[in-house]
Every structure is written in structure tokens, then in C-alpha cells.
Amino acid sequence: HAEVNPEKHPGATRKIDSKREYSVALTEVCRACHEDKFKLYEGSVHASLLRAGIPESPVCTDCHSPHSIAPKAAGQPIKEISCRKCHESIFEAYAGSVHGLARSKSAESKAPLCAGCHRAHDVGAPSVGDGLKNTCLACHGGAIQSHQSWLPNAERHLEVVSCPACHSPGAQRKVDLRLYDGASQVRMVEKKGVPQFEDRARSADKAGDGLDAMALRSLLKQFNVEGAERTTTLRGRLEVRTGVEAHRLSEKSRAVSNCDSCHREGADPFQIVTVSIVGADGRPLRHDARKEVLSSAVSVESMRGFYAIGGTRIKLLDVLLVLALLSGIFVPAGHMTVKWLFRRYLDRMAKQNAVENQRTEPPLGGGASGKR
């Protein structure tokens, strides 16, 4: 409170529009001593929401009490975690999870709290990119090896199936088709101040009942016109439907391990489909799509790294992927064959021309022999 003169306190009445406005303005005081933490905060989802004009977004004093400030506030007992003030439903899901139960039983437990996955100051959404997988593997380093002992193609499963999709057995699962920049091979992010995805998705989905195959193609074309070298592609990923379900992690003995839950015709995870991009604030933006887009030619490219032929018993998609595979094999082979045949044809024609030239050429000195 540098503006306060102790000798004249309280002094003249000062008008403050609201307690919240005062708290937000006073965060600049924290910056004076904690510049490093403040920079992290400025890159967080919370700061993005504050800049977007949502004054209720968390600031320093929402997590660190303004007067009884304590270090590592995120490491306090589970019942005192400040995150629950804004995220009550998610916190309840976490409290009943294998992590939350372990933390409740023992204060010495190393089970993660909110900041363990979302970080304390540069709070972000782990569901973006490979964030969630990398977050889980940071503590469960042996997960890849343990999965390889029973799960076929374990590394690919860990790439295209989110951890909660199997470790939250009661959750409803879905396929999320993510927009990627084909040139850089990174997930596409909305430009700050230039929201496009939601407007374009609504424009393509005129009926408002989910993107069909043609609407999805139209959406991709709208992103591709931005640059001649840029090609927007889709990549499929199996996820749980909501953030609440993502926090209901169970002990590993209850994890889904039945292959038939996904690898059968009409499997539940393939009945719900979304298309997504990363928002300017770091959170995913999604639009619903019809389940039929998974069995259309539009989605073949996006499913290559995600779908094993015969994996979900979608016969049309199997046929399309087989055709794509065969075209990838036979088109280059056919090209090389035609090139080889054409080269043989040119060689044969060159030999024939050489023989014809020899036949038509007169012998050396011909026509003057015998005359002196």
C-alpha cells in the first residue's frame, strides 16, 4: 500500500468502484518483487481470460491470501486448495479420483494436486497437444514399458488415445479431429484478436446439427486459402467427453483393458465426434461433427495414424483405407513401370534407327571402283 501515508491514515476518502477492481489493479504490486512468476502468469489461461474482459478471472490474491501470504500455496492441504473456488465440479471429480483419495488419506502423499498437472502460475490446459500424455508420463515413467507387456502397438495407442480414455472407466469417450498445420506438423492455434474457427465452423454447419463430410471439407478449405504453402490436415484422437470426466481417474486395476470396447463395429467411442483447434487463450475450441465423417473420404488422411484397418469394423472406412494404401503402393510402382517401359521403347527405337541408317548409307568410295 505504497500510496498510504501512515501519519495521515486513513486520510481523505478514496473512491473505489469495486473490491474486485481494486484487487486486479493491485496485482501490479506483486510484479515489483515477483517478476518471474508474473511473466509465467501472463502466459496462463487465467491471464488470457482477464485480458478478454472477465474480471472474475483469478489474480495473485485469489490463490495467495493478500495478507496471510504463504509460499507454495498450491501445495496446501487438499481441503484448502484455492482452485475449488472456481472449479467445484472438477475438484469434486478429482477428490474422488485415485489421486485425490491418496492425497486425502495422507498429507505426505506425492499424488498430484491441481498445480502438478496444470502448473501453478502459467496455468494451461494439458489436453492441448501432447501435454496430457507428457504430464502423466512425468510421474508414471514406466507406463510405456508396462503397457507393452500386454497392449499391442502400445506406443501408437499412447499417441492417439488420451490416458483418461482408459483410466476413467465410467467416462463417455469420443473422437476429436484436431486441426494441424501440414507444413509445420503442429496443432493450429487461433490468432489473438482474430477468432475464426467458431465463425467458420458455424458457417460450414448451416443446419447447426454437426459438420457432415462436405461441411468438414468446406471448413478445411477456408483454412487452406490463407496461404498457398499451408495445408490444414486433421488428426484423430480418442478422448473423454468432458473435463470433469478427465479428472475421475481410477486405480490401474479398474482401467479399460478390453480391446472390444473400441475395436468392434458400432463401438461407443466412435459415436461422438468433434473437430477442434487451440484457442488464443490456450484452451481447445470444439465444434460437433456427425459420426459419419469418420467413414468418409475426407477423413481418410486424418485417420492414417489413428486407425488400424479393421480396427473399428467400419467397413466403408476399411475399404477407403485399403484403396489409399494400395494407391500409395501401386501408383509409384505403376509410374516406375511406365517409365521403364518407355525407356525400353526409346532404346529399341534408337537401335532400329541405327540399323536403318547403316543400311541406307553408301559404302566408302562406292561408284568409282575399277576406273583409273
Side-chain angles (χ1 to χ4, degrees):
H1 300 283
E3 76 282 3
V4 175
N5 184 344
E7 296 179 0
K8 299 180 180 180
H9 186 67
T13 302
R14 177 179 161 194
K15 183 180 179 182
I16 297 174
D17 290 339
S18 68
K19 178 182 177 181
R20 187 61 189 169
E21 183 187 40
Y22 181 76
S23 295
V24 172
L26 218 62
T27 57
E28 288 298 318
V29 174
C30 304
R31 184 199 291 268
C33 295
H34 305 285
E35 179 69 24
D36 56 339
K37 303 302 182 186
F38 207 89
K39 284 183 177 179
L40 290 173
Y41 168 78
E42 287 183 323
S44 71
V45 170
H46 293 157
S48 295
L49 294 174
L50 191 65
R51 288 191 293 268
I54 303 175
E56 297 81 15
S57 306
V59 294
C60 307
T61 51
D62 289 305
C63 300
H64 301 274
S65 172
H67 296 107
S68 56
I69 299 172
K72 298 182 180 179
Q76 55 194 273
I78 186 171
K79 293 181 179 180
E80 299 176 19
I81 293 295
S82 54
C83 305
R84 69 184 308 168
K85 292 187 292 185
C86 297
H87 305 284
E88 183 65 30
S89 60
I90 286 180
F91 192 85
E92 287 180 0
Y94 162 79
S97 72
V98 62
H99 293 153
L101 292 174
R103 198 82 191 199
S104 297
K105 290 178 182 178
S106 172
E108 303 299 321
S109 171
K110 294 182 180 180
L113 287 166
C114 309
C117 300
H118 295 273
R119 301 183 301 274
H121 294 95
D122 53 331
V123 179
S127 59
V128 174
D130 290 329
L132 181 58
K133 181 188 74 172
N134 293 339
T135 298
C136 296
L137 291 179
C139 293
H140 302 282
I144 295 178
Q145 290 74 20
S146 62
H147 282 78
Q148 285 174 337
S149 64
W150 66 273
L151 180 64
N153 206 355
E155 289 189 17
R156 178 53 58 90
H157 276 88
L158 291 174
E159 286 178 12
V160 299
V161 180
S162 71
C163 301
C166 295
H167 290 273
S168 296
Q172 189 173 24
R173 288 163 286 163
K174 66 175 183 181
V175 174
D176 185 42
L177 296 176
R178 300 174 165 194
L179 272 68
Y180 271 76
D181 187 312
S184 62
Q185 295 299 308
V186 297
R187 198 169 177 190
M188 292 189 65
V189 180
E190 286 258 69
K191 298 177 182 177
K192 291 184 179 180
V194 190
Q196 295 178 322
F197 176 74
E198 291 180 303
D199 290 341
R200 290 175 173 180
R202 283 194 293 266
S203 175
D205 180 18
K206 292 182 173 60
D209 55 358
L211 296 163
D212 60 18
M214 294 308 297
L216 183 55
R217 180 184 291 275
S218 173
L219 177 64
L220 292 177
K221 282 184 177 179
Q222 291 185 64
F223 280 96
N224 286 335
V225 297
E226 293 181 351
E229 297 181 359
R230 184 183 216 175
T231 55
T232 303
T233 61
L234 295 168
R235 291 189 190 177
R237 182 175 173 84
L238 200 67
E239 299 180 340
V240 295
R241 192 171 187 185
T242 67
V244 171
E245 292 173 317
H247 289 79
R248 290 184 179 139
L249 299 171
S250 68
E251 57 185 22
K252 63 181 180 181
S253 62
R254 295 183 56 208
V256 176
S257 57
N258 180 10
C259 301
D260 196 52
S261 63
C262 290
H263 298 284
R264 62 176 172 81
E265 186 174 359
D268 291 341
F270 295 86
Q271 307 308 305
I272 302 172
V273 182
T274 56
V275 181
S276 71
I277 192 173
V278 180
D281 61 3
R283 296 182 299 170
L285 300 174
R286 295 186 174 91
H287 193 90
D288 290 337
R290 301 182 195 177
K291 65 179 182 179
E292 290 79 13
V293 300
L294 298 180
S295 56
S296 74
V298 174
S299 305
V300 170
E301 186 63 32
S302 68
M303 302 292 279
R304 284 187 176 182
F306 167 73
Y307 178 91
I309 294 175
T312 60
R313 309 301 188 264
I314 301 175
K315 293 180 176 60
L316 178 57
L317 188 56
D318 289 339
V319 171
L320 290 171
L321 285 168
V322 168
L323 290 175
L325 178 63
L326 292 177
S327 66
I329 295 172
F330 288 113
V331 170
H335 175 74
M336 295 299 295
T337 300
V338 170
K339 186 177 179 180
W340 178 73
L341 290 173
F342 187 66
R343 184 176 295 168
R344 285 195 62 188
Y345 170 77
L346 291 178
D347 290 343
R348 189 169 63 250
M349 292 300 296
K351 289 179 180 179
Q352 289 180 357
N353 290 335
V355 171
E356 291 294 331
N357 289 336
Q358 287 178 357
R359 289 177 179 175
T360 57
E361 286 180 0
L364 292 175
S369 58
K371 293 184 181 179
R372 302 213 181 253

